[in-house]
Each structure stands twice: as structure tokens, then as C-alpha cells.
Amino acid sequence: MHSDRVASRSAEPKDSRESRNGGGPHLDAVSLAIIEQLQEDGRRPYAAIGKAVGLSEAAVRQRVQKLLDQGVMQIVAVTDPLTVGFRRQAMVGVNVEGDVESVADALSAMDECEYVVMTAGSFDLMVEIVCEDDDHLLEVINRRIRAVPGVRSTESFVYLKLKKQTYMWGTR
Amino acid sequence: MHSDRVASRSAEPKDSRESRNGGGPHLDAVSLAIIEQLQEDGRRPYAAIGKAVGLSEAAVRQRVQKLLDQGVMQIVAVTDPLTVGFRRQAMVGVNVEGDVESVADALSAMDECEYVVMTAGSFDLMVEIVCEDDDHLLEVINRRIRAVPGVRSTESFVYLKLKKQTYMWGTR
DNA sequence: CCCAAGTCTGCGAAATCCGCAAACATCAAC
DNA sequence: GTTGATGTTTGCGGATTTCGCAGACTTGGG
């Protein structure tokens, strides 16, 4: 009945990508394929995913639940706040003296910071912020962010127009 | 039977936020509330959303479908590629001479560019790129991006660690 | 060999999704 | 005020999906 499924599952040896995985949980090729499916359509039924990756509906459901619980992925609606029409948005490059990670944690705790990443280059941190209006933007950048201990300097890039936004790194 | 619903719907006057909306389609307060619900959980049932925003299941379903068709929002699985374990990621600031938008279009056409935004500040464009490995990263930055006509210079910020990633601007 | 932990499958019940026709609201034209 | 066109909402079946659970299978010790 399902002889076609046996071949595709656990056929390949442990993927080399797993060993390169940093701290995160282990993800085999099947879980990657499931994520790929959900990157195309976050509401795709479990049965359809199962058919695509070679697993039963229940097995897909269990894997997805675990991936969500572990925080490996999240299934959400994404928009362009500028298009939705009531926010000011900017990317802020931050230079830090002392412990970068603690500064990153402090910025992550702020509601207005939607995206915080540690980087190599002329900035130590890149932070994307979403604000109500210009006043709010000004306050967040000049008062709140620069007030964090360890922040040496910042440089702002106010968003004019979002041109592309995808989440399909898996499908190439 | 559903007297509770009547009060909450279309009670408030046309929201001021609508008028500030740029080019995008008109979004009333109900659609905003629907998006908000799906930002918390992209798989939340239509009936549950309807109860939260004061609409029938079918009405929510039609609105969601339209928002997806119009490209106002997308429901997808999002991950941290670095955690998933097999990519190099970087933010690239780009300076342009001539038409910025055409350069943005050219970069948007590249698979490796996941996020392209036009900005005000010392960069004209900010581009987030996802690559297989260091070689791929090097090729994309130094050969592909700089080869685009109009690109004057670039500056790269290789990702070391993603600290925060949320999509809940609506829920504050 | 046997047990424990983890994963997958199959299945029945409950909940959800989907398409459709009718009701309703809005608005411009007459 | 009436009429009609347009767009949205509702309620309803039937098809589909989700959900919980028990049993089977695999793996890796002790």
C-alpha cells in the first residue's frame, strides 16, 4: 500500500548538514522537508505534507508540534508594516563596548525591536525597529537604545519601501 | 443569538490609521484584528478568529483569502537559517548611483536575497542574503551584487547569531 | 534477552474547512 | 424615495482535516 514511502525515508546517511549544526536540535532531512512545505504555505494540511515528504498525517503532526515547541520554527502571518499603513520602521546599526550579548538581550527585551542580530563588520548589532510614528521612532533610537549600558554609538536607516520579503530558503 | 457580535463590529468610526495608509489596499480595523490573530498563530481556526474579531467563520475565511491574494500578508513558517544549520547569512548595505529602484529590483530577482528594503541614511539599500557556505557568500557579494549596474559600493555584516525575531507589531 | 525511550501508523470522533445561495449594506443614479 | 449594481456577511450541508490514543516498530543500553 505504501511501499513508495519506505524508500524515501531514512534512506540517506546522516546528512553532513546536521554535523555543522550549531547549538540547535537535530533536524533530519524529513523535518527540513516539512519546514520547506510550510514555508510555501503555513496552512497546508498535514496529510498533504505527509504525502510530499513520505510520512503519515499523524507523524507530520507530531513533528510539526515538536518543531514549534522547540522554537525551531514558528508559523505566523507576516506583513509589511509600512503597507499596512501605520508605522515607521528602521534598521539601526549599533556599536558596543564590553559584552555584546548583554546589550543584545537588553535590546531584545524592547517591544519595538522586532529583529536583533549579532554581526561581524563595522556594526556589532543590527536591530530592526517598528514604531508608531516619527516621534516614537526618535524616542526609541535617541533615548531608549542609546541609554542601554554598553552602547557606544548607533546609525539609523529609516525604511522608505520594502521591496522583497521571502522565507523560502529551503526551496531552491 | 449573536447579539454580542453586533456591538463590536463597525462600531468605531473610520480609523485615522486608514487615511495614513500609503499605496496599499484599504484595511479596516477588523482586517487588522484578523492579521493580529494570525501573527500570534498562523494556524488558528477561522471560527476562533471570528469569535475574537466579531465575524462569522465564513467572513473571516473570505477576508483572509483576500488578504493573501492581495499580497497584504502571507502565512508561512519562519526559522533561523543559522539554527537550522546549513547556511551563511549576512546583511549588506548598498550605495547606488542613478535609479535606486531599478537596482532594488535587480537584487530582488536574486534567489539569495531574502529581504530587500530601500532606506534613507548612509546606505540606499539594505539587503539580507542567505547562502550555502562561505564560498557562496563571497560570490554573491563580490561578484553578483557588485556586478549590478548602478551599484557604487557595498558593506557587509555577516550574521553571527540571531537574538530575536518576532512578527507581532499588532499586539502591543 | 529484555526493557525503556522515541517514533510511526491506523482509526474513530470531533472540529474545521469549503462552496454556495440568500440576506444585507452601501452608494450612486435616476 | 426608488432602483440597481456592487461588495460583504451569514447560515448551512458535505467533504476534509484535526485530534487523541492504542498498538507496532526501531534503537540503544543494561
Side-chain angles (χ1 to χ4, degrees), chain B residues 72-84:
Chain B
V72 174
M73 73 170 179
Q74 40 185 333
I75 301 176
V76 294
V78 298
T79 65
D80 171 12
L82 263 38
T83 295
V84 169

Side-chain angles (χ1 to χ4, degrees), chain A residues 26-41:
Chain A
H26 290 293
L27 295 183
D28 60 13
V30 178
S31 288
L32 265 316
I34 290 174
I35 294 175
E36 211 167 299
Q37 293 288 316
L38 290 170
Q39 282 176 328
E40 293 177 13
D41 176 6

Side-chain angles (χ1 to χ4, degrees), chain B residues 16-82:
Chain B
S16 64
R17 293 183 294 217
E18 294 181 39
S19 54
R20 211 192 311 158
N21 186 336
H26 289 293
L27 294 183
D28 60 12
V30 179
S31 288
L32 264 316
I34 291 174
I35 294 175
E36 210 168 300
Q37 293 287 318
L38 290 170
Q39 282 176 328
E40 294 178 11
D41 176 6
R43 272 180 171 263
R44 184 163 297 169
Y46 295 131
I49 298 173
K51 200 161 306 183
V53 307
L55 231 54
S56 71
E57 177 268 342
V60 172
R61 176 156 39 90
Q62 286 173 165
R63 286 213 186 208
V64 168
Q65 192 56 54
K66 194 161 78 165
L67 289 171
L68 294 173
D69 291 342
Q70 289 175 154
V72 174
M73 73 170 179
Q74 40 185 333
I75 301 176
V76 294
V78 298
T79 65
D80 171 12
L82 263 38

Side-chain angles (χ1 to χ4, degrees), chain B residues 115-133:
Chain B
Y115 193 67
V116 177
V117 58
M118 299 171 58
T119 58
S122 65
F123 293 129
D124 298 307
L125 292 172
M126 302 280 289
V127 183
E128 189 181 65
I129 63 181
V130 180
C131 293
E132 300 282 345
D133 50 34

Side-chain angles (χ1 to χ4, degrees), chain A residues 17-18 20-22 24-25 27 32 35 38-46 49 64 72-89 91 101 104-105 107-126 128 130-133 136 155-170 172, chain B residues 17-18 20-22 24-25 27 32 35 38-46 49 64 72-89 91 101 104-105 107-126 128 130-133 136 155-170 172:
Chain A
R17 294 183 294 217
E18 294 181 38
R20 209 194 310 159
N21 185 335
L27 295 183
L32 265 316
I35 294 175
L38 290 170
Q39 282 176 328
E40 293 177 13
D41 176 6
R43 272 182 170 262
R44 184 162 297 168
Y46 295 131
I49 298 173
V64 168
V72 174
M73 74 171 178
Q74 40 185 334
I75 300 177
V76 293
V78 298
T79 65
D80 172 12
L82 263 39
T83 296
V84 169
F86 60 123
R87 307 271 166 165
R88 277 281 185 278
Q89 205 169 355
M91 185 71 74
E101 194 131 17
D105 288 332
L107 295 177
S108 296
M110 297 172 52
D111 284 339
E112 290 88 350
C113 296
E114 208 176 44
Y115 194 67
V116 177
V117 58
M118 299 170 58
T119 58
S122 66
F123 294 129
D124 298 306
L125 292 172
M126 303 281 288
E128 189 181 64
V130 181
C131 293
E132 300 281 344
D133 50 33
H136 191 192
E155 184 169 356
S156 304
F157 308 91
V158 174
Y159 282 17
L160 299 177
K161 185 174 187 179
L162 182 60
K163 294 289 292 184
K164 184 181 184 182
Q165 186 182 30
T166 59
Y167 302 90
M168 305 207 205
W169 47 262
R172 292 219 282 260
Chain B
R17 293 183 294 217
E18 294 181 39
R20 211 192 311 158
N21 186 336
L27 294 183
L32 264 316
I35 294 175
L38 290 170
Q39 282 176 328
E40 294 178 11
D41 176 6
R43 272 180 171 263
R44 184 163 297 169
Y46 295 131
I49 298 173
V64 168
V72 174
M73 73 170 179
Q74 40 185 333
I75 301 176
V76 294
V78 298
T79 65
D80 171 12
L82 263 38
T83 295
V84 169
F86 60 123
R87 306 272 165 165
R88 276 283 185 276
Q89 206 170 354
M91 185 73 74
E101 194 131 16
D105 289 332
L107 295 178
S108 295
M110 297 172 52
D111 284 339
E112 290 89 349
C113 295
E114 206 175 45
Y115 193 67
V116 177
V117 58
M118 299 171 58
T119 58
S122 65
F123 293 129
D124 298 307
L125 292 172
M126 302 280 289
E128 189 181 65
V130 180
C131 293
E132 300 282 345
D133 50 34
H136 191 194
E155 184 169 354
S156 305
F157 307 91
V158 175
Y159 283 17
L160 300 176
K161 185 175 188 178
L162 182 60
K163 293 289 292 183
K164 184 181 183 182
Q165 186 182 28
T166 58
Y167 302 90
M168 305 208 209
W169 47 262
R172 292 219 281 258

